[in-house]
Amino acid sequence: MSEESSLLKGSTSMNDTMVEEVEERDPESNPLNEPLLKRNRTLSSNPLALVGAKVSYIESLDYEINENDLFKQDWRSRSRAQVLQYIFWKWSLAFLVGLLTGIIATLINLSVENIAGYKLLAVVNFIQNERYLTGFLYFTGANFILTFVASILCVCFAPTAAGPGIPEIKAYLNGVDTPNMYGATTLFVKIIGSIGAVSAGLDLGKEGPLVHIGSCIASILGQGGPDNYRIKWRWLRYFNNDRDRRDLITCGASSGVCAAFRAPVGGVLFSLEEVATWWRSALLWRTFFSTAVVVVVLRATIELCHKGKCGLFGEGGLIMFDVSDVSVTYNVMDVIPVVIIGVLGGVLGSLYNYLLHKVLRLYNLINQKGKIYKLLLSLSVAMVTSICQYCLPFLAKCTPCDSSLSEVCPTNGRSGNFKQFNCPNGYYNDLATLLLTTNDDAVRNIFSTNTPLEYQPSSILIFFALYCILGLITFGIAVPSGLFLPIILMGSGYGRLLGILMRSYTNIDQGLFAVLGAASLMAGSMRMTVSLCVIFLELTNNLLLLPITMIVLLIAKTVGDSFNPSIYDIILHLKGLPFMDANPEPWMRNLTVGELVDVKPAVISFKGVEKVANIVNALKNTTHNGFPVMDCGVVPTIGVASEATELHGIILRAHLIQVLKKKWFLKEKRRTEDWEVREKFTWVELAEREGNIEDVAVTKEEMEMFVDLHPLTNTTPFTVLESMSVAKALVLFRQVGLRHMLVVPKYQASGVSPVIGILTRQDLLAYNILTVFPHLTKSKRK
């Protein structure tokens, strides 16, 4: 239950009728034409989000250390051996995250390559025997079945497994609890669904899902297993808190990127640049350790594959385009085509973001109608993709093989750059080389170097146009899907085409043009620079590409930022997740937190020794997560001797529910002793966030009893003066990872409460503030 306010839905408020409509609608549809959070003009209503299998509350996470008496006693009493044990298990979990992510990534790669390989071998055999219709039916039928398996799992068992999962991970690490994102069912569906969707030849990748898979593994390990079968070991329960779980999920996200691209440093930098909001040096070392374990597992797999133990395609499905043996030479004039690629990448990337936003809004209207429509949408996209991949190569002309090439031409069966398809012996079909193959092989083929005459411009143009269309219509269907590979395919298409057009004006290889095109489009759409540069350098294994890659990425990101946000930010907005940006709006400096809390209802607080009935009523009638605890009539130790009201701290809803569950009540109004608290509670128990007020039964006699809240109260909450600007408060809120920020008066007068309000995440979001304060117009913001 959270105290956070809901977001705005256009300019209308959410009334009871709207809530009934939401409950009647398919809760798994995840509508993307409107934010999932139902918005309201006030700053105190409940945010509802259509996430997972039912309507759920979106809550913030408690990253702040809750320094109550039990916590202080626990850390004072810990021995050096216990501290070392805690550190040891943190590193052990980081090792297990990397190990399991590497193993699962290997299984996914080998499964995709072999399933797709047997499918393509059968299709090639039909084509060689000129049984074109049979080959078409087999190809489309196999893709239909694979997509059906992936989609039915997502629609019926784990709706949150659809899509890449990276926006939700980014929101979680920002402090937003995204329900049902990291469960065992989601992990299983993500793995099987990725295998099915990628094997079906859909224009999507397994890179984004691998990031989600790594995060799911980390979350499950951190909490001791799936929800229904958790291990209750004492040492493992120390990790059952939001702070340690956040660090583990960061390791999992880095491991997923490393497993996708075999780029350990790039994986660490991806988490640092793209998904993680909060970072520190100790976390840097653990994420690097996790990615190092992943690389070891992948390297061992590659060694096995080279010995022929990986089935049909011996590279294990890893996207590798090693150009370390290519002599990269360029001069000052080559900067011109590099700049052109960067500008094109920024323009096309922002255009892709804009069009994808429109497509997702359209898909929402379809998905809202129910599960069957989501399934039919996925299958329709699969049929369109299969028809295009099989039929378009017939439009290409057969190209004679170059007798000087050492590679077998034409090739049939296994992967190669010269697919024979419908051509006679001694000829190959260059478009079939790019379309009638796995996506990973398509990347390797179009990135191939020292092949200036291998592809005709018309074939590259068809390839680019097709994957632009497929890239728009495929993302958003109910299957696990990543954005990396579709963007790489689109970018490499216009990059190679530009290389062909400028062949006589530059010394840069066409394959390197394709690499630069892919990098520019990724930077133009995802707005990554440093991590993307390192990932491409680790993939190409050629440091000579560093200068031109940096130029391309910087230009593409700069151009893209001038049009619209990154694709992940757009998805975050569509899903309605209350993500808190790093940079506050300039107009926020003209508004104080005191003005902000004035529009909120009066804060609900408790006395240090509170009546049980008051606690139960507050928990049942509000959704607040934190309550200030105050003591009246306290004589300060310094200053004037008159009595004052003391702010003892803030107590969490979860702790109050545990007090009610354990019946820790007093018959008389008094303070408890330390031993009384330690007899009933432990710090490990207080770290858990389980329990609901509806599950607690309190008798009439117990309602008249009292509870001493002092031992369970966080005595060091973050407080700010009412005169602080909203901009400064937002920066503090985000950097420290807060859930509650107490606003205190600048002048403490007699009889005035020491707390005038509490700010939470949604109170500090720009669209909430602008709705409550309409006088902050665009002209004033300028």
Side-chain angles (χ1 to χ4, degrees):
M1 313 303 174
S2 67
E3 169 186 13
E4 291 81 348
S5 60
S6 57
L7 310 179
L8 294 171
K9 180 186 176 183
S11 60
T12 62
S13 62
M14 183 182 70
N15 52 29
D16 294 338
T17 306
M18 282 179 154
V19 175
E20 293 175 1
E21 291 176 357
V22 170
E23 292 174 349
E24 292 174 359
R25 191 182 300 164
D26 177 18
E28 298 177 357
S29 61
N30 285 349
L32 289 175
N33 71 322
E34 61 183 20
L36 296 180
L37 297 185
K38 295 303 168 186
R39 300 175 174 178
N40 196 299
R41 285 187 177 275
T42 66
L43 290 174
S44 60
S45 57
N46 298 328
L48 291 175
L50 298 177
V51 179
K54 58 183 179 181
V55 177
S56 306
Y57 284 97
I58 288 290
E59 299 185 13
S60 293
L61 296 166
D62 291 315
Y63 290 155
E64 181 186 357
I65 295 177
N66 193 45
E67 292 187 348
N68 53 30
D69 292 348
L70 283 173
F71 172 82
K72 295 174 184 177
Q73 175 63 28
D74 177 74
W75 276 100
R76 281 196 298 262
S77 61
R78 283 192 186 185
S79 64
R80 182 177 179 84
Q82 289 176 314
V83 174
L84 291 176
Q85 183 187 40
Y86 173 70
I87 296 174
F88 170 77
W89 284 116
K90 286 172 74 172
W91 284 87
S92 299
L93 289 175
F95 169 80
L96 289 175
V97 168
L99 178 66
L100 294 177
T101 303
I103 292 173
I104 291 177
T106 299
L107 294 177
I108 292 176
N109 288 326
L110 296 182
S111 300
V112 168
E113 290 294 310
N114 284 280
I115 293 174
Y118 281 112
K119 176 189 70 177
L120 292 173
L121 279 176
V123 172
V124 168
N125 184 57
F126 287 127
I127 293 175
Q128 282 183 322
N129 296 325
E130 298 185 355
R131 298 171 61 185
Y132 298 117
L133 181 59
T134 305
F136 171 76
L137 294 176
Y138 182 89
F139 184 69
T140 54
N143 291 343
F144 183 91
I145 293 173
L146 290 170
T147 305
F148 178 81
V149 172
S151 185
I152 198 71
L153 288 175
C154 288
V155 169
C156 297
F157 298 100
T160 52
I166 293 179
E168 289 83 357
I169 296 171
K170 188 174 180 179
Y172 184 91
L173 298 180
N174 187 257
V176 181
D177 188 9
T178 47
N180 306 316
M181 278 300 299
Y182 306 105
T185 304
T186 302
L187 174 63
F188 174 79
V189 172
K190 201 80 175 185
I191 295 172
I192 303 301
S194 296
I195 294 173
V198 178
S199 300
L202 296 175
D203 186 21
L204 47 82
K206 53 186 179 292
E207 294 75 29
L210 276 175
V211 178
H212 190 187
I213 288 170
S215 300
C216 288
I217 293 171
S219 177
I220 292 173
L221 287 175
Q223 67 184 14
D227 292 336
N228 299 329
Y229 303 97
R230 289 188 181 181
I231 300 173
K232 296 295 184 179
W233 294 343
R234 178 175 175 81
W235 64 266
L236 192 56
R237 294 179 71 185
Y238 280 104
F239 297 95
N240 194 17
N241 61 82
D242 292 337
R243 289 173 62 87
D244 286 319
R245 194 178 181 208
R246 172 192 62 189
D247 291 351
L248 270 176
I249 288 179
T250 304
C251 293
S254 301
S255 300
V257 175
C258 176
F261 296 104
R262 212 185 79 176
V265 180
V268 174
L269 292 177
F270 173 83
S271 292
L272 174 61
E273 181 181 10
E274 185 62 25
V275 296
T277 297
W278 194 80
W279 199 267
R280 67 185 192 279
S281 58
L283 181 59
L284 176 68
W285 283 107
R286 282 203 300 277
T287 54
F288 186 69
F289 176 62
S290 296
T291 56
V293 174
V294 174
V295 169
V296 171
V297 174
L298 296 181
R299 173 54 61 183
T301 303
I302 291 176
E303 293 300 325
L304 289 175
C305 291
H306 286 327
K307 296 178 182 178
K309 298 181 180 180
C310 292
L312 289 177
F313 295 132
E315 293 299 326
L318 299 173
I319 298 181
M320 289 297 295
F321 37 99
D322 191 341
V323 293
S324 57
D325 57 340
V326 178
S327 177
V328 181
T329 58
Y330 45 84
N331 50 42
V332 176
M333 295 304 297
D334 291 329
V335 173
I336 297 177
V338 170
V339 171
I340 294 175
I341 289 181
V343 173
L344 280 176
V347 173
L348 294 178
S350 58
L351 179 61
Y352 175 75
N353 292 356
Y354 173 80
L355 294 176
L356 187 61
H357 178 267
K358 299 299 182 184
V359 171
L360 292 177
R361 290 170 63 92
L362 174 63
Y363 279 4
N364 163 72
L365 300 177
I366 300 174
N367 292 335
Q368 278 184 344
K369 297 182 179 180
K371 297 179 180 179
I372 188 64
Y373 287 90
K374 292 196 287 186
L375 182 62
L376 290 175
L377 177 62
S378 302
L379 296 176
S380 300
V381 172
M383 293 301 295
V384 171
T385 303
S386 300
I387 292 171
C388 293
Q389 289 176 338
Y390 189 89
C391 297
L392 285 180
F394 287 99
L395 301 178
K397 297 180 180 179
C398 293
T399 305
C401 294
D402 188 350
S403 58
S404 63
L405 291 174
S406 59
E407 188 175 351
V408 177
C409 180
T411 56
N412 287 306
R414 297 186 179 230
S415 58
N417 280 30
F418 305 100
K419 293 285 186 181
Q420 184 173 0
F421 195 61
N422 62 331
C423 297
N425 292 332
Y427 290 80
Y428 71 94
N429 189 313
D430 58 345
L431 191 54
T433 300
L434 298 175
L435 297 183
L436 206 64
T437 184
T438 63
N439 289 337
D440 291 354
D441 282 334
V443 171
R444 278 191 284 266
N445 293 341
I446 200 167
F447 282 163
S448 59
T449 55
N450 297 322
T451 54
L453 302 177
E454 180 176 338
Y455 301 104
Q456 301 175 15
S458 58
S459 297
I460 297 294
L461 186 60
I462 293 174
F463 171 84
F464 171 65
L466 173 64
Y467 276 102
C468 283
I469 297 173
L470 294 181
L472 289 172
I473 67 173
T474 305
F475 188 80
I477 63 176
V479 296
S481 58
L483 281 170
F484 284 96
L485 197 62
I487 293 177
I488 287 176
L489 289 170
M490 286 186 286
S492 62
Y494 77 76
R496 184 115 192 175
L497 187 62
L498 186 63
I500 294 174
L501 296 176
M502 304 191 69
R503 180 168 49 197
S504 58
Y505 302 100
T506 180
N507 296 323
I508 300 178
D509 190 275
Q510 292 178 18
L512 299 184
F513 263 105
V515 174
L516 295 176
S520 69
L521 192 61
M522 289 184 73
S525 177
M526 299 180 177
R527 311 295 156 77
M528 297 187 298
T529 52
V530 179
S531 58
L532 193 59
C533 182
V534 173
I535 287 174
F536 270 85
L537 288 180
E538 289 183 287
L539 287 173
T540 57
N541 198 21
N542 195 328
L543 282 176
L544 295 176
L545 292 176
L546 179 61
I548 55 177
T549 304
M550 291 174 64
I551 294 173
V552 164
L553 293 176
L554 289 172
I555 294 175
K557 183 184 185 303
T558 303
V559 173
D561 283 337
S562 62
F563 291 101
N564 50 34
S566 72
I567 185 61
Y568 292 134
D569 290 339
I570 291 174
I571 296 173
L572 280 170
H573 173 72
L574 287 172
K575 286 183 174 291
L577 296 172
F579 185 84
M580 187 167 286
D581 293 319
N583 301 314
E585 298 287 344
W587 53 265
M588 288 183 176
R589 302 192 182 279
N590 302 326
L591 189 69
T592 66
V593 293
E595 295 174 301
L596 202 55
V597 297
D598 282 344
V599 301
K600 295 187 64 176
V603 64
I604 298 177
S605 62
F606 293 131
K607 298 176 183 177
V609 181
E610 187 59 82
K611 199 173 182 180
V612 174
N614 295 336
I615 296 176
V616 172
N617 290 335
L619 294 179
K620 286 186 175 180
N621 296 325
T622 69
T623 58
H624 301 337
N625 181 72
F627 302 87
V629 176
M630 305 179 192
D631 283 322
C632 300
V634 178
V635 178
T637 56
I638 58 175
V640 295
S642 60
E643 294 182 347
T645 301
E646 176 195 24
L647 172 61
H648 189 73
I650 186 170
I651 189 166
L652 301 181
R653 169 181 284 267
H655 296 170
L656 292 172
I657 291 176
Q658 289 202 35
V659 167
L660 298 177
K661 278 186 174 182
K662 292 198 172 188
K663 309 290 184 181
W664 194 55
F665 304 145
L666 303 171
K667 292 184 178 180
E668 66 276 1
K669 191 174 183 179
R670 66 175 179 87
R671 295 283 293 265
T672 56
E673 301 293 336
D674 291 343
W675 63 268
E676 292 181 273
V677 183
R678 292 197 295 271
E679 260 189 357
K680 204 73 174 180
F681 299 98
T682 65
W683 165 245
V684 175
E685 289 176 334
L686 293 182
E688 298 180 355
R689 296 290 185 266
E690 299 176 356
N692 200 318
I693 185 59
E694 285 75 16
D695 302 330
V696 179
V698 183
T699 64
K700 290 184 178 179
E701 292 78 10
E702 291 170 339
M703 284 286 195
E704 300 302 319
M705 301 175 75
F706 297 91
V707 176
D708 181 16
L709 301 178
H710 293 95
L712 306 180
T713 300
N714 178 12
T715 57
T716 58
F718 281 86
T719 60
V720 296
L721 289 176
E722 60 179 334
S723 57
M724 177 182 283
S725 70
V726 172
K728 190 173 182 179
L730 187 146
V731 171
L732 175 64
F733 196 99
R734 186 180 190 272
Q735 290 183 348
V736 181
L738 302 180
R739 183 167 186 173
H740 311 98
M741 178 181 286
L742 275 61
V743 181
V744 299
K746 188 173 183 180
Y747 302 101
Q748 182 68 56
S750 177
V752 176
S753 172
V755 176
I756 62 175
I758 297 180
L759 291 180
T760 57
R761 171 176 298 270
Q762 269 126 348
D763 299 334
L764 296 172
L765 297 178
Y767 40 73
N768 266 340
I769 299 173
L770 287 177
T771 305
V772 178
F773 297 94
H775 64 279
L776 295 172
T777 58
K778 292 184 179 180
S779 60
K780 184 171 182 179
R781 279 184 277 166
K782 293 179 181 178

